[in-house]
Each structure stands twice: as structure tokens, then as C-alpha cells.
Amino acid sequence: MSTTDHFEHLMRLMALEAKAEEEQLVAAMQRYRGKNEERTGNCLLRLVIRDEVAGLGGRVLVTLAKRNQQEELPWHRLGVGTPVLLSTEGAGESWRGVVSQQNRLTIQVALNDWPEMEDERATFRLDLSSDEVARQRQRQALERAQIARGDRLAELRDILLGQQSPLFNRPESFTFLNSHLDESQRQAVDFALTAQDLAIVHGPPGTGKTTALVEIIRQAVQRGETVLACAPSNMAVDNLFEKLLAAGEKVLRLGHPARVMPELREHTLDLLVENNPDVRQARKLASEGHKLREQAGKETRAHVTKSDRQTMRAEAKEMLADARRMEEIAVERILDSARVLCATTTGLDRDIIGTRRFDLYVLDEAAQSTEPATWIPLLWAKRLVLAGDPCQLPPTVISLEAAAQGFNISLMERLMAHFGETVSRQLTTQYRMHEDIMTFSSDEFYNSTLQADEQVIHHLLPDLPTIVRNELTETAVHFIDTAGASYDEELEPDGESRLNPLEAALVVRKVTALLAAGVKASDIGVITPYSAQVRFLREEMKQPDVEINSVDGFQGREKEVIIISLVRSNIEGEIGFLGDTRRMNVALTRARRKLIVIGDSATITVNSFYQRLVTYFERIGAYHSVWEETE
């Protein structure tokens, strides 16, 4: 495929995805119209404002909840950082914002303006909104890369399209800043630092990929280089950002402060600008300029001549221009003071970055990013290091047509398929899981290359203080087979998602047993691929500190205990979402000391992946029938 064809193909796929997103939202609204729209997970209804405060770089923080203060919010997809539309129910007034915080009872939204309405008793709805700014930045990046000629972007483009081979320097001796890196991490760091154009760090679950990336970034800074550190999600950026701050690096976070963890917001550009003395002076000057301009426009006494008003307007204009220059200079100084800028790929604003060039662009969780988003930071970069795992979550793509044409294939996955091991190094020592939790994924996805570090290889729940050793806690893996027990799946009423009430009840019993054995509720996570089962479990579970979420919600995370509810149980052998084995790889590798899987072997083993999984459970003595369970 030619350069032109490649980029035009990506832009067509972006258009298909945008259309599918819109159609999905409209279809969900129509399906639930007049019933319970909240079941879509895309909106929250009948909300009232609990609190309004100023904050986050001049924005407004609005806390919303149900009118009954004890009523919990239903399950929804409006996570922190999600673009949303807040509107009054029935009145048509609306404000765009970003979710900044949430818990079971409230959700906080950061708005640019104060929400003003005539009816003080108005109720509100909060709807998922598309991020058109992000989409526009992706299109602009693809267009610029397509037409680039005779510059570094054109050179990188030809390499990333496979038209040229990436080059590497001879290894140079250097001292590792983190003395605790394992051998595979050291090799990956060394390899990435020799890359003139491109290097890939393949980091399977728990292998310390971000730790290796931090070392690569710090070594680049030691060389006097500047670094643009990115990821497709705010959570992944914050993880990298936090580790760089802890290492003592001079690092700056770009992007909407509401999308940044609260403890890190003081390091965002917005808040540093807001608290800068020169900017405060500029804002004061701008305020005076606005007042003077307003005064010049009013009806005045006869002794104020037309010439005087013109002078006042000219003076106001000059004051406002001075204020803008003062603020721009302050922003430039703050940007120049940082050696490392952190941002999501779509959070990079050309008006802020300007003509800066970065010696190194590092992309964490690269396998989760669609290719157009990956190109945005390349507009300012001289070389690229991609890090991630193409055997875990792929990019989220709604359009089946776009996915069929490759939109769910990340740039990282495409480059690994094209260049192979010549551009990549894999990390092999994992620091999260007991060996029995690790081994199946290692064999299935990583050619049996993973090794458990000696500190985790045999660790179990009873090794933690206060946890009792019993039949449930003294092993690392526990599979409960519900075949033949009528644990039938159900289609959610008025919906398309599925749930399994009996399986959910068994999850609750296992959580109760773990708590009785001394496991903390906050150390337990429940994963299920179906949103209806997530909702049902959240309603049934009486422990708010037990986290219940989808596979995507646990990506990059870990818990001491993970319980997986597979849901599917039918005579047709239909497994739906379970057929995405990369997602199941994520679910199976979140647990540190205990993994419990609940499912119907008769249904799931029609797929060879699950046949091998059940066989593995049998081999390590983890297989149990539900008939062994007691109420």
C-alpha cells in the first residue's frame, strides 16, 4: 500500500468509527426511550447538583447525585476523564465537560462555565459525549504525515510504513540509574537507547514494562535530551508520570486537569500557569483592560469626547495584548523548564507545543492505541520507542466494518509483524503472579518465556498478615465448573447484555468466604466481560470496597484476589465476548495470589482456547465442580 493509500485508508476507517459511535449512542437511546435509559451505561438521569466550586485552572467543579442522598448511582461508562454533556431535563440548556471524580453516590464534572438555570429545582442528565477535538487532531496528524517531504517526519513515516529499515547505533557504556532492573529489563533499555529511529519493548503482564520505560526516559534526560512521554489513556499516562516524579525528574503533565489524578494535578501545565505570579498579574491587567473597554463603550457625560473614547479603547486593547503576551511568556518558561512532557496522544495541543522538537517520543500501552492516535506525537519527535503488549487488550473499536479492515491493529502490532525481533525486545521476569496463575498465559501467549520472580513465585494469601490458611486460601488457582447445574445465562431485560444470577450468587459467596478468612475487601476484584453481570453483581454485593468491573476496567491493574465470572452457559455453546482471548489474557493475569474462575465447561470448551484452559486447571489440581460447593 502506498503512502497516500495508507493514510487515506486510515482516515476512511476513522470516519466509519465515528459513524458507528454515533449510531451506537442513538440506537441505545431509542431502545430504552420511555423505559430506563440508564441501562445503556451511557447516561445518568434525574440528577441534582450537590455542590459547585471553583477549581482546576479556572474551571468549575459540579458534583451531581440522585435527589435521595442515599441512592447509589447505577453502573455506567462515565469514568474519570470521559467527555460528557450535562443538560437540564426538559429545558434544553447544556454544558460540555469532563468527569473529574466519581464514587458510588456522586459524580463530579469539570465545566468551563458556571451552569446557570432559571429553575433552581431543575434536574439534570449526564450523557456520554464524543471527543471531536481528539478526532480532529488525529486527522490533522495523518494529513501532515502524508504530505511530509524532506524532513524528519517524512523519514519516520517511511520507516513506520516499512519502506525503510530502522537503524541502530553501537551500544554505549552507561550506568543504570535503577540498580534493581532485571537482566531482560536491562537488555530492553540498552536496546532502546541504541535506536536511531524505532525500538519496541514488549512487556507481558507484571514484567515491569513501565519501570523499564522510566529508565529509558531518565537515561535520555541524562544525555541532555528532551522527551515526550505518552499513552492512549489518562490512567496510563498518570502511572508513568507518577513514577517519573518519584524518580526526581523534572516532568510536566499536559491535558485537562480533571483527567489527572488529584495528587498529581499540581504538576499540570494548567495549574502551574494558574499559580504563576506573572500570570496572576496578567489576569489582573486583562481585567482592567476589559473594564476600560466596557467604560469606553458606555454612554458618557458630554465632557468625554469621541477622541477620549478612542484613546480609552486603544489603551484597553494594548492592556489586553500585554496581558496575553505576559501569559504566553509564562507558559513558554514553564514548558521550557521541563525535560519531560507527559500527555495522552490525543491530548497534545499544537497551540501549546508550538514548534518544539523532542529527541525521544515514548508511547506506553502502545498496543491499545489505534494507529491514527499514535501519529499525533510524531509531529514533534525525532525517534520513537513503543512499549506494550499486543497479546493483551487491542484498541477499542466499535465499527465492525472498520475492525474487519484492520482499525483494531495498533501501530505496534503492525510493526512487530513486519520487522519482527529486529526492532523489539521482550521482558521475561514477572513480579505480580504466583507461578500457577502465570503459567497458562506464559505457555499460551508468550512461548513459555515468562519466569516468576523468586519473591512471587510461590506467594499465597496466608503469607499476608491476618489471613487464615484454609482450603480456599492455601492454593493459587481455583476453577469452579457449573456444567450440568442449571446455572443458565439470561438475556438482560430490554437489553443485549447477558447475566448469570446463580453464578453471581456464587461469586458473592466466595467473596464472603474470603472476607471471613481475613482478606481485605479492597484486595478483592471481580471481573466479568458482560455489563449486565457487572450491574447485577454491584447490586447484590454488600461490600462497596470490593471492586467489580469489566475486563477493560482492570487493564494495567492488579489485586491480591481476582474472581472471574464467565457468565456464558447455554446448550448452543455460544461464548460471545469470551471468544476474544486477548481480553481473557488480561483477566487471567490481574491476580497476585489467588485466581478464582467460575464458568460452564460444557459451554466454553467448544473453543479450543478454553479447552486448553480447563485442561490446565485439571493438571494443577485447580478443577472443582460446583456440586462440591455448600451453601
Side-chain angles (χ1 to χ4, degrees):
M1 188 180 293
S2 70
T3 296
T4 299
D5 289 344
H6 180 81
F7 288 107
E8 290 184 352
H9 176 67
L10 287 177
M11 282 187 270
R12 282 195 299 271
L13 299 186
M14 283 181 60
L16 288 173
E17 180 68 2
K19 181 182 177 183
E21 286 180 11
E22 181 64 26
E23 289 176 347
Q24 184 186 66
L25 287 173
V26 171
M29 298 290 282
Q30 290 177 342
R31 187 167 64 247
Y32 290 97
R33 191 175 299 279
K35 299 175 185 177
N36 185 359
E37 291 181 55
E38 288 181 319
R39 298 192 75 84
T40 65
N42 296 327
C43 64
L44 292 170
L45 307 177
R46 297 176 294 281
L47 302 172
V48 296
I49 293 178
R50 290 276 178 235
D51 191 24
E52 295 177 79
V53 295
L56 297 175
R59 294 173 177 88
V60 183
L61 300 180
V62 177
T63 301
L64 301 143
K66 297 291 187 178
R67 192 175 294 280
N68 176 357
Q69 296 190 28
Q70 302 307 312
E71 183 181 352
E72 293 187 358
L73 298 176
W75 175 85
H76 57 85
R77 297 185 175 90
L78 310 181
V80 173
T82 302
V84 290
L85 185 69
L86 175 67
S87 55
T88 52
E89 293 183 310
E93 298 174 286
S94 62
W95 304 266
R96 290 193 175 275
V98 170
V99 176
S100 51
Q101 287 184 29
Q102 62 163 317
N103 55 41
R104 289 193 171 221
L105 294 173
T106 66
I107 184 166
Q108 185 187 79
V109 180
L111 307 174
N112 288 329
D113 302 298
W114 291 93
E116 298 178 2
M117 70 293 300
E118 295 181 4
D119 184 2
E120 293 184 358
R121 290 186 57 80
T123 57
F124 298 83
R125 63 179 295 150
L126 198 61
D127 289 275
L128 179 68
S129 176
S130 61
D131 194 343
E132 286 303 318
V133 172
R135 192 168 283 128
Q136 182 183 10
R137 287 172 180 169
Q138 292 175 70
R139 281 195 296 266
Q140 290 173 343
L142 295 179
E143 289 167 355
R144 287 186 60 189
Q146 180 179 346
I147 64 173
R149 297 289 183 274
D151 59 8
R152 184 55 178 156
L153 178 59
E155 293 173 351
L156 285 174
R157 176 200 62 208
D158 292 346
I159 291 167
L160 299 183
L161 295 187
Q163 297 168 2
Q164 299 289 335
S165 295
L167 300 176
F168 295 85
N169 297 315
R170 290 191 175 192
E172 297 179 6
S173 61
F174 62 91
T175 302
F176 285 97
L177 299 170
N178 183 348
S179 60
H180 300 293
L181 297 177
D182 63 50
E183 184 56 31
S184 68
Q185 289 173 326
R186 286 171 173 256
Q187 290 179 6
V189 171
D190 190 38
F191 177 70
L193 293 174
T194 66
Q196 292 185 31
D197 311 294
L198 163 71
I200 295 175
V201 177
H202 180 190
T207 53
K209 165 180 56 65
T210 305
T211 299
L213 272 190
V214 168
E215 181 71 16
I216 292 168
I217 293 168
R218 296 183 68 199
Q219 290 291 344
V221 171
Q222 285 281 103
R223 293 176 171 182
E225 297 179 342
T226 53
V227 183
L228 189 54
C230 299
S233 72
N234 284 285
M235 183 181 295
V237 174
D238 282 347
N239 183 36
L240 186 58
F241 182 49
E242 189 172 28
K243 284 180 164 57
L244 287 165
L245 284 172
E249 294 299 325
K250 188 72 173 177
V251 57
L252 179 65
R253 177 72 156 92
L254 304 184
H256 198 305
R259 290 175 161 145
V260 181
M261 289 191 296
E263 59 270 28
L264 302 177
R265 286 174 183 163
E266 64 181 281
H267 301 282
T268 61
L269 177 63
D270 281 44
L271 292 194
L272 287 170
V273 168
E274 192 74 16
N275 295 325
N276 185 279
D278 292 338
V279 171
R280 288 180 177 174
Q281 183 63 33
R283 299 277 167 85
K284 183 179 178 182
L285 184 62
S287 178
E288 293 173 356
H290 283 297
K291 289 178 182 177
L292 186 60
R293 187 171 63 180
E294 185 179 348
Q295 183 181 351
K298 290 180 178 179
E299 291 292 331
T300 60
R301 294 186 180 90
H303 66 270
V304 179
T305 66
K306 181 179 180 180
S307 176
D308 291 335
R309 287 198 293 272
Q310 289 176 339
T311 301
M312 291 167 67
R313 289 193 186 99
E315 186 179 347
K317 183 178 180 181
E318 187 175 342
M319 291 170 71
L320 291 170
D322 287 343
R324 278 195 300 273
R325 280 193 294 271
M326 288 172 65
E327 187 163 342
E328 288 169 359
I329 291 170
V331 170
E332 291 294 314
R333 285 174 178 167
I334 292 170
L335 287 168
D336 290 340
S337 70
R339 304 298 298 174
V340 184
L341 297 187
C342 292
T344 60
T345 50
T346 57
L348 293 170
D349 187 341
R350 187 162 52 181
D351 290 338
I352 292 176
I353 303 296
T355 58
R356 282 178 174 77
R357 302 294 295 171
F358 294 85
D359 299 292
L360 174 63
Y361 157 34
V362 170
L363 180 61
D364 199 2
E365 303 295 1
Q368 291 182 52
S369 177
T370 58
E371 184 168 331
T374 309
W375 282 90
I376 298 174
L378 283 165
L379 303 180
W380 297 280
K382 296 179 182 178
R383 69 181 193 279
L384 168 65
V385 172
L386 298 171
D389 182 8
C391 299
Q392 294 189 66
L393 287 184
T396 300
V397 173
I398 295 172
S399 169
L400 296 178
E401 186 178 353
Q405 296 182 50
F407 198 51
N408 60 348
I409 298 175
S410 66
L411 176 64
M412 177 180 178
E413 186 177 0
R414 180 168 68 75
L415 292 173
M416 288 182 71
H418 182 82
F419 289 116
E421 294 183 0
T422 60
V423 298
S424 67
R425 292 293 183 271
Q426 182 186 316
L427 306 180
T428 56
T429 302
Q430 68 85 18
Y431 300 88
R432 175 185 300 158
M433 297 165 275
H434 185 286
E435 185 177 36
D436 287 349
I437 300 173
M438 173 200 76
T439 299
F440 177 76
S441 285
S442 177
D443 294 344
E444 188 74 20
F445 294 97
Y446 308 106
N447 297 316
S448 304
T449 56
L450 297 188
Q451 299 291 324
D453 183 73
E454 60 180 15
Q455 294 185 31
V456 304
I457 189 168
H458 296 134
H459 69 175
L460 293 166
L461 285 173
D463 297 331
L464 296 172
T466 76
I467 296 181
V468 176
R469 180 177 292 275
N470 59 31
E471 186 179 0
L472 185 61
T473 63
E474 67 184 1
T475 60
V477 182
H478 197 97
F479 173 65
I480 304 175
D481 187 0
T482 65
S486 299
Y487 274 51
D488 299 330
E489 67 184 66
E490 299 176 7
L491 187 63
E492 183 183 32
D494 302 318
E496 297 179 350
S497 189
R498 297 178 185 273
L499 68 156
N500 192 317
L502 289 177
E503 198 170 283
L506 183 52
V507 170
V508 173
R509 292 203 298 274
K510 287 301 166 188
V511 169
T512 302
L514 288 163
L515 294 172
V519 181
K520 293 189 294 186
S522 59
D523 285 337
I524 303 173
V526 179
I527 300 177
T528 179
Y530 288 91
S531 59
Q533 187 79 337
V534 172
R535 283 192 289 269
F536 189 80
L537 279 164
R538 288 184 175 182
E539 292 167 0
E540 296 296 309
M541 192 76 68
K542 305 304 180 187
Q543 292 289 335
D545 290 336
V546 174
E547 186 174 355
I548 304 167
N549 216 326
S550 63
V551 179
D552 297 59
F554 273 97
Q555 171 68 13
R557 314 256 321 284
E558 61 184 52
K559 292 277 187 178
E560 297 294 348
V561 181
I562 288 290
I563 304 175
I564 303 175
S565 171
L566 297 178
V567 176
R568 300 312 297 261
S569 179
N570 57 74
I571 59 175
E572 295 82 13
E574 294 179 355
I575 63 171
F577 291 150
L578 300 186
D580 187 344
T581 57
R582 286 164 62 169
R583 275 186 157 74
M584 190 48 55
N585 183 34
V586 173
L588 293 170
T589 54
R590 299 306 98 194
R592 287 176 50 78
R593 300 169 190 265
K594 183 71 181 186
L595 172 66
I596 301 173
V597 181
I598 303 174
D600 181 342
S601 67
T603 298
I604 64 175
T605 55
V606 298
N607 181 293
S608 60
F609 172 87
Y610 291 97
Q611 179 62 65
R612 293 191 296 274
L613 179 62
V614 172
T615 299
Y616 173 73
F617 289 150
E618 292 173 335
R619 178 162 62 83
I620 65 172
Y623 179 92
H624 301 271
S625 169
V626 72
W627 301 107
E628 301 172 28
E629 296 295 317
T630 57
E631 293 289 340

